[in-house]
Amino acid sequence: MNYINNEISNLQQICLDCKDYETLQCIKAKCNVGFALSLVNSIQKNGLTIIKDGLQLIPKEDMKHYDNIMVARCIASICKICKQCMKGHNENCSVSLARRSIESIVLKEIIDYPGNILSYIIKVAEQNQNFANLIKNEIQLLD
């Protein structure tokens, strides 16, 4: 499965469902979904990149409501992209930044990706068991 195309499709679906989509209020750099979509589009075109101080770019003011199932679906695809990478983990890589931007929609505290999906889900469950279950279900659907 092409997880990058899958992720782009999932993020675009969230955008289509947003009340601000294609309005003057739609500012991708200030939207967690728009920011992640920009990163994933960049991965598709340019490959994986490391963005110095990339964590500072993640939108922190996005208070829009998003469907948790769609958010979990996005994280599942991002985790699969990360698993396929094989270039060593870096929290400032475009994949990690996309994941962090999306997870910040639901989770209060940043989670460092421990290198495997199961460990990640356990860390998510420490903050939000229901959301961890949603991610787990979406990952299983991708397998």
Side-chain angles (χ1 to χ4, degrees):
M1 172 177 264
N2 186 330
Y3 297 116
I4 292 175
N5 286 340
N6 191 49
E7 181 66 4
I8 290 170
S9 177
N10 290 335
L11 291 167
Q12 287 173 335
Q13 183 58 53
I14 293 174
C15 286
L16 289 171
D17 293 340
C18 179
K19 68 177 178 57
D20 293 337
Y21 182 66
E22 292 190 333
T23 69
L24 293 176
Q25 288 75 36
C26 184
I27 304 168
K28 289 185 180 182
K30 293 186 177 190
C31 169
N32 290 102
V33 173
F35 179 73
L37 182 57
S38 296
L39 288 167
V40 178
N41 279 324
S42 176
I43 295 166
Q44 185 179 50
K45 291 176 187 162
N46 308 315
L48 181 78
T49 56
I50 304 297
I51 301 169
K52 185 177 176 174
D53 298 324
L55 294 174
Q56 308 307 320
L57 301 174
I58 295 173
K60 294 168 185 50
E61 313 266 327
D62 186 1
M63 296 297 174
K64 292 187 290 299
H65 173 74
Y66 298 98
D67 178 80
N68 280 357
I69 293 172
M70 285 302 297
V71 173
R73 189 168 294 155
C74 288
I75 290 177
S77 290
I78 291 170
C79 286
K80 291 292 190 170
I81 294 167
C82 188
K83 184 177 178 182
Q84 284 183 332
C85 172
M86 308 303 278
K87 291 187 181 179
H89 188 65
N90 185 321
E91 286 297 325
N92 282 309
C93 83
S94 43
V95 176
S96 289
L97 294 171
R99 182 187 77 324
R100 283 186 174 216
S101 185
I102 296 300
E103 74 188 14
S104 70
I105 292 169
V106 175
L107 302 175
K108 303 277 188 245
E109 296 176 31
I110 291 176
I111 294 178
D112 288 327
Y113 189 79
N116 81 33
I117 295 171
L118 181 59
S119 296
Y120 174 72
I121 291 172
I122 291 168
K123 287 182 168 240
V124 171
E126 291 171 2
Q127 285 189 51
N128 187 324
Q129 181 65 55
N130 291 334
F131 189 58
N133 290 340
L134 289 175
I135 295 170
K136 180 179 153 198
N137 291 341
E138 292 300 327
I139 287 172
Q140 290 172 338
L141 291 173
L142 291 173
D143 287 335

